[in-house]
């Protein structure tokens, strides 16, 4: 449980519930297989998404989940993760655990918008598939480095390289991801390492949230011209604009800004924590990527809040997800137990045979010395 959950002791009463959808990086070989076998709602939702992807690209994410070949190309990783996240969110919603707010991080915003009801499945599939193909064709453009700095410190470190490098992902006051020209980032990182600042290159094929993705703008505008969004059924906070969205603005143009502009995830979490009352963040992902960033924000704010990861890499999926559900219940949100139990199956209790042995105390026998 300690690997999936961190609940602060200060949660008093039912907390506001926030679903967070991370971006690329949580994928692992074997993910989803346990849920496909044991949770019909997950299987049905994933099949719907898989059909939409297959209509776009000619292959099924479900088949990729069943394969032992790792996901490596962005044009495969992102559609598969999108389908997985949408299906996982469907399970939580089916269990009667409905969030008060949804936040998406980078490509995770596509799944977030789908789960919130702002993007129909077919439109969302068009976004994740067509954009993924264009990013794949872009090739190895730029680099990304995670550094142990807040936004202001990162901007100061970038300094004179601001025309080539930007703070592309703002996860917390402790961690930022730099995006841009590889040589320029190397010059930025070298003195940071000498100072003992955490620096690690992010394993990606292209540098998102920076100028290196600009070449796909015209092609993406044309590819997504027919995408239409609507008002979300569940409130949705944009990490592109750092504000709640009405829905219709999540058209084709938005999804270029989603991959080009900085991810303002830290600011979105701070806005939740400043809203008053306890809060609980549930990460919708095959492996937690954002729990630590949310934890940083909780610690900095001294807020009564906590985090729950839905799943953990290479841990039994059904059991891990039920443990996460238990953590949400313990924090003060009550699921629809009838729906939860519907996913199980009845089994007969084992028979208890009589052993026919006597255990009566014979009170007629006196003890020695009495």
């Amino acid at each position: 449980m300690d690997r999936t959950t961190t609940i602060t002791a200060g949660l008093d009463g039912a907390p506001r519930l926030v679903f967070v959808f991370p971006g690329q990086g949580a994928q692992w070989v074997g993910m989803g297989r346990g849920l496909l076998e044991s949770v019909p709602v997950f299987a049905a939702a994933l099949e719907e998404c898989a059909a939409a992807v297959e209509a776009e690209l000619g292959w099924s994410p479900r088949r990729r989940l069943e394969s032992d070949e790792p996901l490596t190309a962005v044009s495969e990783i992102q559609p598969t993760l999108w389908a997985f996240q949408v299906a996982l969110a469907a399970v939580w919603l089916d269990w009667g655990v409905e969030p008060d707010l949804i936040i998406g991080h980078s490509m995770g915003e596509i799944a977030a918008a789908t789960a919130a009801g702002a993007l129909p499945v077919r439109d969302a599939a068009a976004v994740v598939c067509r954009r993924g193909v264009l990013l794949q064709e872009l090739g190895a453009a730029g680099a990304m480095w995670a550094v142990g700095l807040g936004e202001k410190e990162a901007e100061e470190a970038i300094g004179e390289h601001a025309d080539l490098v930007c703070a592309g992902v703002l996860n917390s006051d402790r961690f930022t991801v730099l995006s841009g020209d590889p040589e320029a980032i190397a010059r930025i990182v070298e003195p940071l390492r000498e100072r003992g600042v955490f620096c690690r290159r992010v394993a990606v094929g292209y540098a998102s949230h920076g100028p290196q993705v600009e070449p796909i703008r015209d092609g993406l505008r044309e590819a997504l011209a027919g995408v239409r969004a609507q008002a979300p059924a569940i409130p949705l906070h944009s990490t592109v604009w750092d504000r709640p969205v009405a829905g219709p603005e999540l058209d084709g143009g938005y999804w270029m800004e989603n991959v080009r502009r900085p991810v303002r995830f830290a600011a979105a979490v701070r806005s939740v924590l400043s809203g008053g009352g306890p809060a609980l963040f549930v990460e919708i992902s095959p492996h937690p990527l954002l729990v630590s960033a949310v934890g940083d924000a909780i610690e900095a704010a001294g807020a009564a809040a906590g985090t729950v990861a839905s799943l953990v890499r290479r841990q039994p999926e059904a059991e891990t997800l039920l443990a996460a559900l238990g953590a949400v219940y313990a924090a003060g949100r009550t699921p629809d137990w009838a729906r939860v139990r519907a996913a199980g199956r009845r089994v007969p209790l084992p028979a208890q045979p009589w052993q026919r042995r006597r255990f009566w105390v014979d009170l007629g026998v006196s003890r020695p010395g009495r």
Side-chain angles (χ1 to χ4, degrees):
M1 180 70 73
D2 58 338
R3 286 177 295 180
T4 63
T5 306
T6 56
I7 302 292
T8 63
L11 300 188
D12 184 17
R16 289 165 296 143
L17 191 63
V18 183
F19 281 2
V20 292
F21 291 72
Q24 186 173 325
Q27 67 274 7
W28 52 278
V29 174
M31 68 178 187
R33 295 178 190 176
L35 296 180
L36 283 169
E37 292 177 358
S38 61
V39 184
V41 170
F42 180 87
L46 190 126
E47 196 60 50
E48 180 185 8
C49 293
V53 170
E54 191 163 14
E56 289 282 337
L57 300 176
W59 57 269
S60 167
R62 176 160 187 164
R63 301 288 86 78
R64 290 299 284 116
L65 291 178
E66 293 170 344
S67 169
D68 290 331
E69 290 295 322
L71 293 164
T72 55
V74 64
S75 57
E76 286 188 328
I77 294 171
Q78 295 195 358
T80 304
L81 277 176
W82 165 75
F84 185 102
Q85 289 178 313
V86 172
L88 183 56
V91 177
W92 281 105
L93 294 172
D94 182 68
W95 284 349
V97 181
E98 183 168 321
D100 301 294
L101 181 68
I102 289 179
I103 300 173
H105 182 291
S106 189
M107 67 140 286
E109 271 205 311
I110 307 173
T114 312
L119 272 184
V121 166
R122 289 192 176 277
D123 288 77
V127 171
V128 73
C129 294
R130 297 173 193 179
R131 193 178 76 175
V133 169
L134 290 171
L135 289 170
Q136 186 71 31
E137 293 172 351
L138 182 64
M144 301 183 78
W145 281 75
V147 297
L149 301 173
E151 179 180 5
K152 183 179 179 181
E153 295 171 303
E155 296 288 359
E156 291 173 353
I158 292 170
E160 62 184 17
H161 303 290
D163 58 332
L164 297 173
V165 179
C166 65
V169 182
L170 309 170
N171 276 343
S172 73
D173 292 336
R174 296 181 181 179
F175 285 96
T176 299
V177 178
L178 306 182
S179 179
D181 179 76
E183 293 183 2
I185 292 183
R187 291 192 291 271
I188 294 168
V189 167
E190 184 178 358
L192 294 178
R193 281 179 157 172
E194 293 174 354
R195 287 165 41 195
V197 176
F198 169 85
C199 299
R200 185 179 67 191
R201 183 161 188 161
V202 180
V204 292
Y206 66 98
S208 56
H209 311 294
Q212 278 67 32
V213 296
E214 276 295 336
I216 74 167
R217 182 177 290 275
D218 291 342
L220 189 61
R221 181 188 300 115
E222 181 179 352
L224 302 184
V227 170
R228 297 290 181 270
Q230 58 198 20
I234 302 170
L236 181 66
H237 188 111
S238 165
T239 50
V240 174
W241 307 124
D242 185 26
R243 61 172 173 79
V245 292
E249 65 266 45
L250 303 179
D251 57 9
Y254 178 87
W255 300 108
M256 178 64 211
E257 303 309 317
N258 167 268
V259 75
R260 170 62 180 88
R261 291 178 178 268
V263 180
R264 300 195 172 277
F265 182 72
V269 173
R270 284 195 297 267
S271 72
V272 173
L273 298 177
S274 65
L280 185 64
F281 297 81
V282 176
E283 184 163 347
I284 309 298
S285 174
H287 184 76
L289 297 183
L290 299 175
V291 162
S292 60
V294 175
D296 287 345
I298 292 171
E299 182 180 346
T307 60
V308 175
S310 297
L311 298 168
V312 177
R313 182 183 294 118
R314 297 187 179 87
Q315 297 300 309
E317 290 180 319
E319 293 88 339
T320 303
L321 186 56
L322 285 171
L325 176 68
V328 170
Y329 173 66
R333 297 291 292 237
T334 302
D336 182 345
W337 291 115
R339 299 295 304 167
V340 175
R341 288 193 293 270
R345 59 189 179 88
R346 296 181 182 273
V347 295
L349 291 174
Q352 178 60 52
W354 293 100
Q355 299 300 315
R356 302 190 182 281
R357 295 172 59 191
R358 290 179 56 84
F359 291 94
W360 294 107
V361 177
D362 191 347
L363 298 179
V365 179
S366 61
R367 297 182 183 179
R370 292 287 182 94

